[in-house]
Amino acid sequence: MKQLSDLADDRLINNCIFCGSLADTRDHVPSKILLDSPYPENLPVVGACKTCNQGFSQDEQYLVCFLESVFAGSTDPDKISKSSVARAMKRAPALRARIEESRFEVDGKIIFTPEEKRIKNVLLKLARGHAAFELSQPCKEEPSHYWCGPLTSLDSDQQEDFDAVHIQQLLGEVGSRNIQRMLVTEITLVSPTGELQKNQVIVNDWIDVQEGRYRFLAIDDTAGVIIRIVIADYLACEIGWGINN
């Protein structure tokens, strides 16, 4: 990722972004456990207290192990392609057993039932981190909108809308990294009378942290703060603050 300095009002984000207490540690967003080694340069880092920083570790490990089990159709470490996860499953037999208990077969197809609370805990952490780092927006309260599911659960139109760039209507926090990343481009539209009209628009695009592993889109606009995340080109989520459900 391109390294940018936050030029927004530093009074907005000055403590743990998760609970507001003293930030005595730094936390990567996304966490390295969600990525492949070698890790990308300039990963976003936000301030966090030690309790919050450590409090997400087990749920993050569960999420990664769950996803790799889904991809493999098995919790057998020898069948899991991501070596770090295979090692983790061998070291944590209780975690493996817990995921195995959620595995069942329907019409010859292997299905895993996720522990939704644990996954939501991780995704909310990620969304709050992106809101703080990219948008300079503290989002400690509960979101007004939350959706999570496989990308394949969306029909083609829904997936196209989800993956689309965001055309910005109003600028968010002045000096935020998000504003610095935006691009101005020109598009041609057809007027009701059939004339071609050229318009300049501000484009807020997705950020690819690591191709095929993690990407996100951070939006601060008229509808509020919206964070979209895709993990491993499979698990997608949209989390919003101040928007209508």
Side-chain angles (χ1 to χ4, degrees):
M1 293 180 62
K2 184 178 180 181
Q3 184 71 273
L4 296 174
S5 297
D6 186 10
L7 304 178
D9 189 338
D10 60 9
R11 292 173 298 178
L12 297 174
I13 307 291
N14 57 6
N15 287 310
C16 174
I17 65 161
F18 306 115
C19 71
S21 62
L22 179 66
D24 50 5
T25 68
R26 311 293 285 173
D27 191 22
H28 287 100
V29 185
S31 307
K32 289 183 177 180
I33 194 172
L34 298 171
L35 306 173
D36 288 335
S37 180
Y39 302 114
E41 296 181 355
N42 302 322
L43 284 176
V45 177
V46 295
C49 69
K50 188 174 182 180
T51 299
C52 286
N53 199 342
Q54 295 178 345
F56 295 104
S57 298
Q58 291 187 346
D59 287 344
E60 288 175 332
Q61 184 181 57
Y62 166 80
L63 173 58
V64 172
C65 291
F66 177 83
L67 288 177
E68 293 301 319
S69 297
V70 170
F71 300 152
S74 171
T75 60
D76 184 347
D78 293 333
K79 295 181 180 179
I80 291 177
S81 60
K82 192 174 174 65
S83 58
S84 60
V85 174
R87 291 194 298 270
M89 295 287 263
K90 290 179 180 178
R91 292 194 303 266
L95 174 60
R96 179 186 172 186
R98 189 162 181 165
I99 296 175
E100 181 63 31
E101 288 176 358
S102 73
R103 176 183 180 273
F104 58 98
E105 187 173 330
V106 177
D107 298 329
K109 184 178 181 180
I110 301 299
I111 304 292
F112 287 86
T113 303
E115 295 183 35
E116 295 182 1
K117 184 177 180 180
R118 302 187 75 176
I119 290 178
K120 183 177 181 180
N121 189 38
V122 175
L123 294 177
L124 279 177
K125 174 228 176 172
L126 296 170
R128 289 185 170 112
H130 293 317
F133 188 85
E134 289 295 324
L135 306 175
S136 298
Q137 290 287 7
C139 294
K140 300 182 183 70
E141 68 276 11
E142 283 298 303
S144 55
H145 167 74
Y146 174 86
W147 172 82
C148 170
L151 270 176
T152 53
S153 67
L154 302 176
D155 63 33
S156 58
D157 289 338
Q158 290 172 329
Q159 189 165 335
E160 184 176 352
D161 288 342
F162 184 87
D163 284 333
V165 299
H166 176 71
I167 304 301
Q168 200 76 16
Q169 303 300 312
L170 294 175
L171 295 180
E173 185 63 31
V174 175
S176 67
R177 294 181 177 90
N178 177 249
I179 286 183
Q180 296 177 60
R181 295 188 200 278
M182 289 183 187
L183 300 173
V184 177
T185 190
E186 190 172 76
I187 61 174
T188 301
L189 301 175
V190 180
S191 71
T193 61
E195 295 180 276
L196 297 180
Q197 296 180 336
K198 292 184 177 180
N199 296 277
Q200 286 192 333
V201 296
I202 302 175
V203 176
N204 182 6
D205 205 353
W206 285 78
I207 296 176
D208 282 306
V209 177
Q210 189 174 62
E211 186 176 359
R213 293 304 304 177
Y214 194 99
R215 59 188 172 97
F216 71 93
L217 175 64
I219 300 168
D220 182 8
D221 208 340
T222 55
V225 171
I226 302 171
I227 307 295
R228 293 177 184 163
I229 299 170
V230 177
I231 301 173
D233 282 340
Y234 172 77
L235 184 66
C237 79
E238 180 179 86
I239 301 174
W241 288 266
I243 66 175
N244 295 324
N245 291 320

